[in-house]
């Protein structure tokens, strides 16, 4: 199958640093593939996800997403690609406290006409699709709508953040340790529900976690230590 994502000869260093945090010869993700990426704290997992998502740009190398070379684009064009074709689940969820769960989930459709149109091809409103996703992730939308997202449990916030990443059927979902605060039986069930939604739409998934145990559920497990030639982990771990 064609890759949705191809990273080649990539090198990235933070402006404050003289050495590269990432030096990756090649990393790719096929359409619909679910990749589990692991590595110790400080090894550059979140940095790589931000490069893939076009939030950061590498000093060297190429990142091709869905046939487009992200490095050759303006930052506005990259923002559009990310907004239209990717869904991000952040390490700290980043839900907006002044919006309720459904409003948080439909927010990407305010920024992306493409996502909004793709929702309305299948659902009668954006809110209906948000509620369908919440139910699919085993949350009761009626209870959530009466609460601020700040009053939700960590597990509930995690599923709201996941629904927000899934809305509008993005080509790829990028998940940065969304399960770190969950106990193991909830985590496994959450993964199955996330996979069901990805399978429904042929969405590729790049999922980062410290928790190697989760890797068995994925199509492929990638160790950042193995693909990153300038590996440096925090020494206190
Ligand atoms: N904004 C930044 N400016 C400068 N250096 C940074 C910045 N963000 C991260 N770093 C450095 O880049 C390296 C990789 O950080 P990154 O957050 O990608 O690690 P990680 O693998 O996601 O770690 P964790 O598992 O703790 O989330 C670290 O040495 C970190 O200190
Ligand atoms: Mg991280």
């Amino acid at each position: 199958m064609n890759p949705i994502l191809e990273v080649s000869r990539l090198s990235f260093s933070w402006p404050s640093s003289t050495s590269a945090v990432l030096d990756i010869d090649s990393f790719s993700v096929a359409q619909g593939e679910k990749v589990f990426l692991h590595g110790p704290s400080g090894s550059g997992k979140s940095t790589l996800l931000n490069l893939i998502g076009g939030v950061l740009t590498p000093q060297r190398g190429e990142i091709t997403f869905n046939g487009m070379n992200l490095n050759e684009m303006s930052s506005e064009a990259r923002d559009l690609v990310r907004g239209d074709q990717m869904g991000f689940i952040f390490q700290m969820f980043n839900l907006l406290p002044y919006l309720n769960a459904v409003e948080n989930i439909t927010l990407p459709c305010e920024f992306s006409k493409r996502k909004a149109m793709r929702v309305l091809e299948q659902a009668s409103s954006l809110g209906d699709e948000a509620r369908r996703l919440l139910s699919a992730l085993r949350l009761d939308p009626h209870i959530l709508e009466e609460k601020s997202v700040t009053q939700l449990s960590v597990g509930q916030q995690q599923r709201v953040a996941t629904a927000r990443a899934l809305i509008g059927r993005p080509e790829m979902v990028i998940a940065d340790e969304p399960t770190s605060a969950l106990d193991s039986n909830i985590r496994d069930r959450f993964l199955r529900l996330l996979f069901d939604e990805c399978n429904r739409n042929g969405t590729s998934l790049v999922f980062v976690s410290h928790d190697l145990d989760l890797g068995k559920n994925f199509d492929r497990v990638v160790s950042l230590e193995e693909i990153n030639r300038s590996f440096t982990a925090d020494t206190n771990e």
Side-chain angles (χ1 to χ4, degrees), residues 35-236:
V35 175
F36 181 84
L37 180 70
H38 69 97
S41 183
S43 60
K45 302 181 298 296
S46 297
T47 305
L48 179 58
L49 295 188
N50 282 316
L51 285 158
I52 292 171
V55 180
L56 295 170
T57 46
Q59 280 81 13
R60 249 196 319 114
E62 284 180 3
I63 301 171
T64 309
F65 175 77
N66 206 8
M68 295 167 285
N69 185 336
L70 296 183
N71 324 11
E72 286 174 352
M73 295 179 162
S74 64
S75 64
E76 291 79 12
R78 277 198 309 273
D79 289 347
L80 198 63
V81 170
R82 180 174 58 256
D84 277 349
Q85 301 188 37
M86 299 183 196
F88 248 97
I89 312 174
F90 297 95
Q91 199 159 6
M92 306 305 289
F93 307 145
N94 295 4
L95 297 175
L96 297 187
Y98 49 88
L99 300 179
N100 69 23
V102 166
E103 291 163 344
N104 263 285
I105 295 166
T106 57
L107 194 63
C109 301
E110 308 287 333
F111 298 108
S112 167
K113 284 200 188 78
R114 180 177 190 262
K115 279 187 177 168
M117 276 167 49
R118 282 161 72 94
V119 167
L120 297 174
E121 281 166 15
Q122 295 187 337
S124 55
S125 71
L126 299 178
D128 275 0
E129 175 63 0
R131 285 182 281 272
R132 183 194 72 75
L133 283 164
L134 284 174
S135 303
L137 295 169
R138 304 288 184 270
L139 281 179
D140 183 342
H142 301 295
I143 293 175
L144 293 192
E145 251 171 316
E146 284 153 22
K147 290 190 176 184
S148 152
V149 285
T150 55
Q151 295 167 316
L152 304 181
S153 74
V154 174
Q156 289 171 331
Q157 289 185 44
Q158 172 216 30
R159 282 174 284 170
V160 172
T162 303
R164 181 179 60 183
L166 288 166
I167 200 162
R169 294 182 281 133
E171 272 66 16
M172 187 165 77
V173 165
I174 298 173
D176 197 353
E177 307 217 35
T179 55
S180 52
L182 301 181
D183 62 49
S184 59
N185 55 345
I186 298 182
R187 221 181 37 196
D188 289 351
R189 201 179 60 187
F190 164 77
L191 263 193
R192 277 200 301 279
L193 299 171
L194 172 61
F195 284 7
D196 285 348
E197 278 302 312
C198 287
N199 291 341
R200 231 173 101 98
N201 305 315
T203 300
S204 306
L205 177 65
V206 179
F207 187 104
V208 158
S209 176
H210 285 105
D211 189 353
L212 255 178
D213 217 35
L214 291 177
K216 61 180 185 297
N217 303 294
F218 286 73
D219 297 325
R220 191 153 53 94
V221 174
V222 174
S223 155
L224 187 56
E225 287 172 84
E226 275 169 28
I227 62 167
N228 181 18
R229 290 181 296 208
S230 54
F231 170 66
T232 44
D234 290 356
T235 46
N236 57 352

Side-chain angles (χ1 to χ4, degrees), residues 4-42:
I4 184 79
L5 174 78
E6 270 186 298
V7 172
S8 58
R9 292 178 299 279
L10 170 128
S11 174
F12 176 82
S13 19
W14 290 103
S16 52
S17 164
T18 47
S19 58
V21 54
L22 291 172
D23 180 357
I24 295 175
D25 192 45
S26 109
F27 169 65
S28 61
V29 177
Q31 279 176 21
E33 190 181 24
K34 301 179 189 71
V35 175
F36 181 84
L37 180 70
H38 69 97
S41 183

